[in-house]
Amino acid sequence: MELTFVPLYAVLVSLAAVPFILLSSGKPNLREFWTILAGVVKFLLVLTLIPAALEGRTIELTLFEIAPNLPIELRADPFGVYFAIVASGLWIFTSFYSIGYMRGHKEKKQTRYFASFAICLSSTIGIAFSGNLLTFLIFYEMLTIATYPLVIHSENKEAIRAGRKYLAYTLTAGLLLIAAVGITYSLTGTLSFQPGGIFGDVELSNTMAVSLFLLYLGGVGVKAGIMPIHSWLPSAMAAPTPVSALLHAVAVVKSGVFGIIRVVHYVFGPEVMGNFGLNDILMVIAGVTIIVASLLAFAQDNLKRRLAYSTVGHLSYIVLGAAMVTPLGLTGSIMHISAHATMKITLFFCAGAIMVNLHKKNISDLNGIATVMPWTMGAFVIGSMGLAGLPPINGFVSKWFLGAGVLEGDMMLPLIILIISGLLNVGYFFPIIHRAYFKKGGKELEGHTEASPFMVVPIVITATASVIFGLFPDLFFHFFELASGIAETVFNTL
Amino acid sequence: MIGSDIPALIPITFLAFAVLIPLLGLWKRHLSYYWAVLGATIATGFSALGFYNYISGSETIRYFFGGWEPPVGIEFVYDGLSGFIVLVINTIALFVLIHSRLIGKREFPGKVTGYYSVAMLLMLGFNGMVLTGDLFNLYVFLEISSLASYALIGIGEKRAPYAAFRYLIIGTVGGSLYLLGVGFLYTVTGTLNIIDMAAMLPEVIGNSAIITALALMVAGIGIKAALFPLHGWLPDSYSYASSTSSALIAPIGTKVAAYVLLRVVLYLFGVDIIDSAIPITDIIGILAGIGILYGSVMAIAQSDLKRMLAYSSVSQIGYIIMGISLANPFGFIGAVLHVLNHALMKACLFLVSGNLRLKEGHTDITKFDDSYRKKYPWTMVAFTTAALSMVGLPPLAGFFSKWYLALGTIENSNWLLLSVILISSLLNAVYFFRILEKVYLRDPESTDEKTGIISSLTTNEVKPSMLWTTSIIAFGILAVGLLNAFIVSAIVTMFPAGL
Amino acid sequence: MVDFVLGHYAYWFTIILLAIGLYGMLIKDNLVKKTIGLSIFQTGVILFFVSIASKWGATVPVKSDEFPVTEVANYMNPLPHTLMLTAIVVGVATLGVAFALLITIYNRYETLNEQELLEKIQ
C-alpha cells in the first residue's frame, strides 16, 4: 500500500472538517458528526502507519519549499507515529466527552469550540509528523493560536486573564524557538530531525551550546510545563474541562515534551548532550519540577488545579527520562507519554463529570460521591493509582523503565526523585479517594445519579485502556515495541 | 517591442493621468475616481509585464531619456529590485484607489478631482524615485512625491493641515540634506549617474567629502523613511490624514525611502566602502533597533487605531532598515521581503480602519466591542489575518521576513538586534491582541444565551468595492506567506555586487 | 589656518545660511517665519551648488570666437547651475504648498502663531 501521502492526509483531515463544522453551526448533531468522523478517519489513517513504524521505516513527504532549501516536510518516523497514535486516539474520546460536557453545561459558542478543537488536532498531528524544525515551528505556532479560543472559551474575566497569560507564555516561547532554530540553521545548515542529532560535525563552543540549549528549552519547555515557566498551565484551568483534558493529556503539553525529546535526541543528540553537560541541566530542572509540583499539588483544594500540578510533575517525568540519555530511560520516557495521556485524561474526564453532574469543584466537597457516581470514581481510582505508579496500570510500566534507565546510567539522584515523587503522588491523590469512598456525603447528593453516558463511557474506556496497556504494553498499538525501537535507532547511531 | 520602454511607460502613465484627470474633471467631475483607477490599473499592468519579463530571464533595462546616454543624459534603470518594488507599490496603490470611492465621497467631497490628480502625482514621484538611475533626478522625484503627499495629508481632519505643514518643514529639510550630499558627491566624482558613480567611488574612498556626503544623504533619506529619531512627522500625518491618504502613503511612502536608502548604501557605496569609511551600518542598525522598540511601545500606548498603526509603521520601517544595515544576504532578503509584506499588512490594516471609520465614524479602540465581529465579520477576518501576520505567526507573510532578518542578525552574531526582533514581536502581539480581544470577546451582554448569536445586530458590512479590496489584500498576506519560496528565489537574483 | 578659513569662504557662507534657516524653523513661533527659514535653508543648498561650479579665471561655457578658450578646463561647469534651476522650481513649489496649507490653517484657527495654535488644537 502506498503510504507516502498518509501523514499529509492525517494532518489535513481535521482541518478539512473545519469548514463543515462551521457551516453546520445551526445543527449540533450534524456538526458533531463531522468532528467524530474526522477523528475516526484520522485515527485509522494513523493506524495504517504502525506496520511501517514497527519495521523502523520512515515515511517522508516533502510538500514544497517554504523557504529556499527549507521544505515543509512531513516525516512519519516511529516516534512521530507513536505520538500521533496517542493524540488522535484520545481525540475521539475527547470529542464524545466534549459533546456530553458542552451540552450538559449548555456552553455558548460550541461551533467555535469544535472548530478550534479540530485545528488543534491538525496542528498536533502536524507536530508529530514534522520532518524538520521549521515545519515543527509552524505547526507549533498554529497550535498556540488554535488553543487560545479554547482557553478563553467561557469568556469571563478569569478566562480572559488566563488567555492573556497563556499567550504571553507561549508566544514568548515561540520567539525563543525561532531564535534557537535560526541559530541552529546558521550553524549546521540543516534543520531536519536526525536520530542522534544534527550537530555531529559542528564545533560548538561551550557558551554557544548551553545558551542554544536554554533557548530551545525556553521554546518547547513552556508547553512542557517545566518550572519555572509552568504557571500558565494551572491558570488555564479556567477553560472547560474537555479543554483541560486536551491541554493536559492529548495535545498541548504533550507537544511540549515531544518537542523536548525531539530536541534532545534528534537535534542535539546524546553525544552532544553529554559533552556539554546539557543533560545535567535538564535533569536538575526536571527533578526540581517533579518535587516542587508534587508539593504544590497538596496545597490545591480545587480538583482541577490539583490535577494541573500533577500534570506539571508528570511531564517532567518524561523530561527526566529524556535527560538520562540512556536507551531504557528514553523508552520509559516515551512510554510515559501514552501512559500519562490515558491516565490523566481519565482523571480530567472524572473531574468534569463531577462538575457537570454535581456542580462540585473542590476536593473538600467530594465526601461520599462514590456512592452516587461509582463508575466515575472507580475510573478515578485507577487513574490516580496509575499515576502513583502502582501495577498493573500502565503508569507502572513506564516508571519501571524510567527506574531501569536510572540504574543503566548509574545515577542516584533521579532514582531518589522517582521514589519520593511516587510517594507524593499517593499522598495527594489518596485524600480524594478517601473522601469519595469513606466519608459520608451530604444531603445535596440525593437524587443525583451517574453522569451522562456521553461522559461515562469515555471515562470507563480510557480507564480500562490504562489497565490493559499496563498488563499488555504491546497490545493493539505495540507501544512498547515502538518505544524501544525508537530508543534503539537514537542510540545506535552513536 | 513594448518591453524595453516599460521603465518610462510606468511613470508617464501616472503623469498623463495626473494631467488628464483635472481636464476631464471639468467635463464630468464624478468620473475622476474611475480615471484614477484606470491609470493605476494601466501602470500596474506595465509593472506586472515588466516583472514577468524579468522573471523569464530578460536583462536589466536601461532606458535613456531622449536618447542621451549617461553620464550625460538621464536614465531609468529597470532591474529586478526596482521592478519588484514598482510592482508592489503600484499594486497596493491600485487596491487602495479602488477602495477609496465612498471614502472620497465622505471625507473630501467636492475635492475628488484635485485629490485623484495629486494621488497620480504622488505615484509618479514614487515610481520615479524607484526607477531613476540619476541622483539629482531622484531628488526631483523625491520632491514631487513629497509635495503630493503634503497635499494629500492636508486633506483630512481638522488638524490635518497643521500636521501636513510640520511634515512639509521636516520633509523639505530632509530633501535639502540629501541634495547637499549629492553636491558633495558631485564635486568629487563629477557625475550624477548611480552606476557611473558606483564605479568611481572605490578610487576616491577615504575622501572626507565622500563621508560627509554619505552622512548627509543617510540623514536626509532617514527623515523621509521615518528612521528613528527622525520620525517625528509621521504619527500626526498618518493619523489626521483622510483614510485613503493614510492607506496610500503609509504602506508605500516610507518603503520607497527605505528602498532609496538601500540603493545608496548597498549599490552606490557598497558594503566594503562603507565599512572602511565609517561604521554607518552599525549606527543605522542601532537606530533601527531603537526605532523598532520605540514604535512598538508607543503603539501600545495609543487609543486610536490609526495612530497606533502610525507608530507601528515607525517600528516596521525599522525592520527594513535593520535588514539593510546588516549588509548580508539574509538581511537583504529580509528587508526586501518585508517591503512587500509590510506594504500588504499595513495597507490591509489601514483599509480596515478606513472601513470602520466610514461605518462607525471613529477609530477609537476603547470603543471596540463584540458587536464589530457581528457587524463586519469579513473586515474583522481581514484585520485578524493582518494582525497575526504583524505578530509574525507562521504561515502568514510576516513570519518569513522576520525569519530572514533573524537569520541575518545571527549571521552577523548580532545578538542585540536578534533580541530586538523577538521582543518587538511580543510587543506587536500586545497591541494587536488587545484589539482582537475587544472585538471578539468584549461585551457579550447583548448575546442570546442559547444560540450564541447577538440577536439585535445584523451584518452591516461595507460595500463590495471596499470589502473585496480589503479581503484580497488579506488573502495576499496568506498567499505571500505560502509562496515566499518563489519570491525569495526571485529576490536572490537581485543581490547587489559584493554581498 | 587662516588660509583654510579664507580658502573655504563659500562653504562658510553656505553653513551660515543653513544655520539661519534652521534657526528660523526651530525657534520662530510664527509659521510664516518658519516658512521663510525653510526658504533660506534651501537657498543655502542652492548657493552651495552654484559655488562648486565656479572657477577663478574660467569663462562661460559658450563656444564663441570672442572668448577663445583652448582648454576645456577653462570653461565653467554648467551642469550644477542648470540643476539649480530645477531646484529653485522645487523650492517655489514647496513655498506654494506651504502657503496653501498656512491659509487653510489660518482659516480654521485664525492664528499662525504656533503656541496659540497648539492651545486651540487641544
Side-chain angles (χ1 to χ4, degrees):
Chain A
M1 186 184 150
E2 191 55 62
L3 288 175
T4 322
F5 286 99
V6 172
L8 177 64
Y9 298 147
V11 172
L12 289 183
V13 68
S14 49
L15 212 54
V18 172
F20 293 106
I21 292 173
L22 290 178
L23 284 176
S24 43
S25 84
K27 302 168 199 142
N29 287 333
L30 184 63
R31 180 183 66 201
E32 265 75 298
F33 165 74
W34 295 118
T35 302
I36 303 286
L37 181 71
V40 172
V41 171
K42 186 188 276 282
F43 187 52
L44 291 177
L45 284 171
V46 173
L47 286 186
T48 60
L49 294 169
I50 291 182
L54 280 175
E55 292 166 23
R57 274 201 292 139
T58 297
I59 294 152
E60 292 184 37
L61 173 64
T62 305
L63 289 179
F64 57 91
E65 290 203 335
I66 193 124
N69 304 323
L70 278 180
I72 289 284
E73 193 181 13
L74 292 179
R75 181 189 292 174
D77 67 346
F79 186 36
V81 172
Y82 188 99
F83 181 46
I85 297 171
V86 176
S88 62
L90 291 178
W91 186 35
I92 302 177
F93 297 115
T94 317
S95 305
F96 274 113
Y97 181 84
S98 295
I99 298 168
Y101 182 94
M102 300 305 273
R103 292 188 181 176
H105 234 213
K106 298 195 175 61
E107 291 275 354
K108 294 172 293 186
K109 299 186 179 169
Q110 295 191 18
T111 307
R112 181 180 77 189
Y113 171 86
F114 282 105
S116 309
F117 219 116
I119 302 174
C120 261
L121 252 290
S122 269
S123 325
T124 310
I125 303 297
I127 288 172
F129 290 151
S130 292
N132 59 31
L133 277 165
L134 192 70
T135 320
F136 180 85
L137 182 61
I138 289 171
F139 284 116
Y140 194 77
E141 296 274 28
M142 264 175 72
L143 182 62
T144 302
I145 290 305
T147 315
Y148 176 71
L150 296 175
V151 173
I152 49 113
H153 184 84
S154 28
E155 297 193 2
N156 51 28
K157 277 212 173 104
E158 196 195 350
I160 290 178
R161 206 176 302 128
R164 283 186 194 154
K165 199 166 182 180
Y166 170 77
L167 277 185
Y169 275 79
T170 49
L171 285 179
T172 316
L175 294 170
L176 296 181
L177 193 58
I178 293 178
V181 172
I183 294 172
T184 310
Y185 183 63
S186 72
L187 285 175
T188 63
T190 176
L191 285 179
S192 65
F193 293 122
Q194 301 288 346
I198 54 176
F199 279 100
D201 309 324
V202 182
E203 283 199 19
L204 277 173
S205 71
N206 202 14
T207 357
M208 185 51 133
V210 173
S211 36
L212 184 57
F213 185 68
L214 288 179
L215 278 179
Y216 270 116
L217 214 52
V220 289
V222 161
K223 284 211 171 96
I226 58 173
M227 285 189 178
I229 43 179
H230 66 285
S231 79
W232 63 272
L233 195 50
S235 310
M237 288 299 105
T241 309
V243 175
S244 310
L246 171 93
L247 285 171
H248 285 246
V250 187
V252 179
V253 293
K254 287 292 146 57
S255 306
V257 286
F258 179 81
I260 285 189
I261 296 180
R262 278 281 195 225
V263 167
V264 169
H265 290 285
Y266 291 79
V267 176
F268 282 91
E271 202 180 352
V272 178
M273 290 292 292
N275 288 348
F276 295 101
L278 302 178
N279 51 349
D280 295 332
I281 300 176
L282 192 57
M283 200 175 286
V284 169
I285 292 175
V288 171
T289 309
I290 293 175
I291 300 294
V292 176
S294 305
L295 290 174
L296 284 174
F298 273 102
Q300 311 300 326
D301 188 38
N302 183 311
L303 179 56
K304 279 174 73 182
R305 282 183 77 90
R306 186 172 289 195
L307 293 179
Y309 278 104
S310 160
T311 304
V312 173
H314 276 273
L315 291 170
S316 280
Y317 273 54
I318 302 170
V319 178
L320 188 71
M324 287 173 196
V325 205
T326 61
L328 285 175
L330 180 59
T331 311
S333 165
I334 293 172
M335 293 201 57
H336 204 60
I337 291 182
S338 59
H340 175 252
T342 51
M343 296 182 294
K344 193 44 73 57
I345 205 168
T346 310
L347 294 183
F348 270 109
F349 284 176
C350 291
I354 294 168
M355 197 157 99
V356 171
N357 204 28
L358 304 174
H359 305 289
K360 287 180 190 299
K361 287 181 178 174
N362 291 337
I363 293 165
S364 45
D365 299 334
L366 296 184
N367 293 351
I369 60 161
T371 51
V372 187
M373 305 175 73
W375 289 101
T376 307
M377 284 319 291
F380 192 91
V381 171
I382 293 175
S384 54
M385 290 304 107
L387 284 178
L390 300 183
I393 305 158
N394 57 0
F396 168 73
V397 183
S398 48
K399 261 195 189 170
W400 172 265
F401 280 104
L402 285 174
V406 173
L407 296 176
E408 191 180 33
D410 206 14
M411 295 166 278
M412 275 313 290
L413 194 66
L415 192 64
I416 297 172
I417 291 172
L418 282 177
I419 293 170
I420 294 179
S421 83
L423 292 174
L424 290 173
N425 269 291
V426 177
Y428 62 73
F429 279 126
F430 188 70
I432 306 172
I433 298 166
H434 181 252
R435 276 180 191 280
Y437 280 93
F438 302 114
K439 289 212 174 165
K440 233 181 127 45
K443 275 190 183 153
E444 78 279 5
L445 291 180
E446 286 168 18
H448 281 287
T449 53
E450 191 56 273
S452 118
F454 265 123
M455 290 194 262
V456 175
V457 172
I459 290 172
V460 173
I461 293 177
T462 52
T464 321
S466 308
V467 179
I468 291 175
F469 292 127
L471 291 171
F472 313 104
D474 260 342
L475 202 66
F476 303 134
F477 308 129
H478 310 275
F479 280 139
F480 174 67
E481 215 180 319
L482 280 174
S484 52
I486 297 161
E488 229 167 73
T489 47
V490 168
F491 286 93
N492 266 355
T493 49
L494 275 178
Chain B
M1 180 62 193
I2 195 173
S4 56
D5 292 332
I6 279 178
L9 282 172
I10 298 170
I12 282 173
T13 310
F14 282 118
L15 183 58
F17 277 89
V19 180
L20 272 178
I21 288 173
L23 290 179
L24 292 165
L26 293 175
W27 169 48
K28 271 184 180 169
R29 174 185 276 182
H30 67 275
L31 287 180
S32 309
Y33 162 80
Y34 298 97
W35 293 117
V37 170
L38 179 67
T41 312
I42 295 173
T44 310
F46 284 136
S47 323
L49 180 66
F51 198 66
Y52 174 77
N53 287 346
Y54 172 77
I55 292 283
S56 39
S58 95
E59 302 273 303
T60 297
I61 304 168
R62 298 180 66 176
Y63 184 91
F64 308 137
F65 273 91
W68 291 92
E69 284 188 27
V72 176
I74 291 171
E75 67 167 342
F76 271 21
V77 180
Y78 188 98
D79 59 3
L81 185 60
S82 60
F84 178 75
I85 304 283
V86 161
L87 180 60
V88 171
I89 63 174
N90 288 340
T91 314
I92 296 287
L94 174 61
F95 279 108
V96 174
L97 285 173
I98 295 175
H99 180 270
S100 70
R101 190 167 66 92
L102 290 170
I103 290 180
K105 276 185 189 165
R106 168 73 66 87
E107 293 186 9
F108 41 88
K111 297 179 191 161
V112 278
T113 310
Y115 187 91
Y116 286 116
S117 173
V118 175
M120 293 291 109
L121 279 177
L122 179 80
M123 293 315 295
L124 164 70
F126 286 149
N127 281 286
M129 279 167 80
V130 176
L131 288 169
T132 186
D134 183 282
L135 284 174
F136 185 79
N137 197 235
L138 202 158
Y139 167 75
V140 175
F141 281 117
L142 178 89
E143 285 295 342
I144 292 176
S145 70
S146 301
L147 287 171
S149 57
Y150 307 144
L152 289 182
I153 287 168
I155 303 171
E157 285 178 27
K158 204 178 173 208
R159 292 166 70 170
Y162 179 59
F165 180 76
R166 277 183 55 190
Y167 179 26
L168 182 142
I169 297 278
I170 302 172
T172 309
V173 171
S176 303
L177 290 180
Y178 169 83
L179 185 59
L180 207 51
V182 173
F184 274 100
L185 284 182
Y186 181 74
T187 55
V188 178
T189 61
T191 179
L192 288 169
N193 185 281
I194 293 178
I195 297 172
D196 207 25
M197 191 184 283
M200 287 186 201
L201 277 176
E203 296 164 26
V204 290
I205 187 56
N207 190 326
S208 57
I210 301 286
I211 294 164
T212 317
L214 180 62
L216 285 170
M217 287 169 86
V218 167
I221 303 164
I223 289 179
K224 285 287 166 190
L227 169 65
F228 182 89
L230 308 171
H231 65 278
W233 56 271
L234 187 145
D236 276 356
S237 310
Y238 284 10
S239 32
Y240 299 134
S242 92
S243 306
T244 299
S245 304
S246 333
L248 201 56
I249 298 169
I252 302 175
T254 47
K255 304 304 167 310
V256 172
Y259 163 85
V260 173
L261 188 67
L262 191 153
R263 279 280 183 204
V264 168
V265 170
L266 295 183
Y267 286 80
L268 178 61
F269 284 89
V271 188
D272 303 333
I273 294 191
I274 282 184
D275 285 347
S276 65
I278 38 171
I280 193 102
T281 48
D282 292 343
I283 296 171
I284 301 175
I286 289 167
L287 290 180
I290 299 173
I292 292 173
L293 294 180
Y294 169 84
S296 305
V297 171
M298 289 305 285
I300 293 174
Q302 305 307 318
S303 63
D304 180 80
L305 179 62
K306 277 178 80 180
R307 208 169 170 77
M308 186 193 96
L309 294 178
Y311 275 108
S312 156
S313 284
V314 175
S315 160
Q316 298 289 317
I317 199 75
Y319 281 117
I320 299 170
I321 293 174
M322 178 200 279
I324 299 168
S325 78
L326 291 171
N328 63 30
F330 284 129
F332 179 83
I333 297 175
V336 177
L337 194 59
H338 203 64
V339 168
L340 167 64
N341 291 348
H342 184 237
L344 284 170
M345 297 185 292
K346 247 321 125 51
C348 184
L349 291 169
F350 268 109
L351 291 187
V352 167
S353 90
N355 292 355
L356 290 181
R357 190 155 132 180
L358 186 75
K359 284 286 181 185
E360 295 281 326
H362 69 87
T363 48
D364 189 349
I365 296 170
T366 52
K367 292 182 189 155
F368 284 16
D369 60 36
D370 204 3
S371 64
Y372 283 45
R373 175 179 67 89
K374 211 64 207 169
K375 285 188 277 187
Y376 323 111
W378 294 108
T379 301
M380 282 304 147
V381 167
F383 180 81
T384 310
T385 314
L388 293 182
S389 176
M390 291 285 283
V391 177
L393 291 170
L396 297 168
F399 168 76
F400 292 97
S401 37
K402 274 186 192 163
W403 165 252
Y404 285 108
L405 289 172
L407 284 182
T409 57
I410 292 167
E411 180 126 325
N412 284 11
S413 298
N414 197 333
W415 309 121
L416 195 68
L417 288 185
L418 177 64
S419 40
V420 165
I421 295 178
L422 300 182
I423 292 171
S424 84
S425 299
L426 269 189
L427 296 174
N428 284 354
V430 172
Y431 60 79
F432 279 114
F433 272 101
R434 190 179 54 147
I435 299 175
L436 291 179
E437 211 176 59
K438 286 206 169 73
V439 169
Y440 284 96
L441 297 175
R442 188 180 172 189
D443 188 28
E445 290 142 31
S446 55
T447 313
D448 185 355
E449 281 293 318
K450 249 186 208 161
T451 53
I453 293 168
I454 302 167
S455 45
S456 57
L457 296 167
T458 45
T459 308
N460 181 24
E461 265 295 4
V462 287
K463 287 275 184 308
S465 68
M466 300 173 77
L467 186 60
W468 279 104
T469 42
T470 316
S471 307
I472 289 173
I473 293 182
F475 182 75
I477 294 171
L478 182 64
V480 167
L482 292 175
L483 299 177
N484 89 90
F486 299 107
I487 299 167
V488 170
S489 56
I491 295 175
V492 169
T493 63
M494 303 169 193
F495 280 155
L499 219 62
Chain C
M1 185 63 202
V2 177
D3 278 352
F4 177 79
V5 174
L6 291 179
H8 291 80
Y9 72 91
Y11 293 90
W12 299 121
F13 278 116
T14 308
I15 289 170
I16 290 169
L17 281 176
L18 293 180
I20 293 173
L22 270 181
Y23 169 82
M25 282 184 278
L26 293 174
I27 308 294
K28 290 293 173 189
D29 263 346
N30 190 308
L31 295 182
V32 177
K33 286 185 180 167
K34 277 181 191 289
T35 316
I36 294 170
L38 182 73
S39 193
I40 294 173
F41 191 86
Q42 284 183 308
T43 312
V45 178
I46 292 169
L47 284 179
F48 170 75
F49 268 82
V50 171
S51 74
I52 61 175
S54 72
K55 279 180 210 162
W56 288 114
T59 181
V60 285
V62 176
K63 198 173 179 231
S64 159
D65 293 335
E66 287 180 40
F67 309 100
V69 176
T70 44
E71 274 202 41
V72 182
N74 288 346
Y75 286 119
M76 282 214 263
N77 186 347
L79 187 68
H81 292 177
T82 45
L83 294 182
M84 282 313 106
L85 285 179
T86 319
I88 290 166
V89 173
V90 168
V92 170
T94 312
L95 278 184
V97 175
F99 281 125
L101 288 171
L102 287 181
I103 290 167
T104 321
I105 293 172
Y106 189 78
N107 285 341
R108 285 191 190 171
Y109 297 101
E110 303 207 318
T111 178
L112 284 176
N113 183 300
E114 192 163 36
Q115 298 304 329
E116 290 174 26
L117 190 65
L118 287 174
E119 279 166 24
K120 287 193 179 178
I121 283 175
Q122 287 308 323

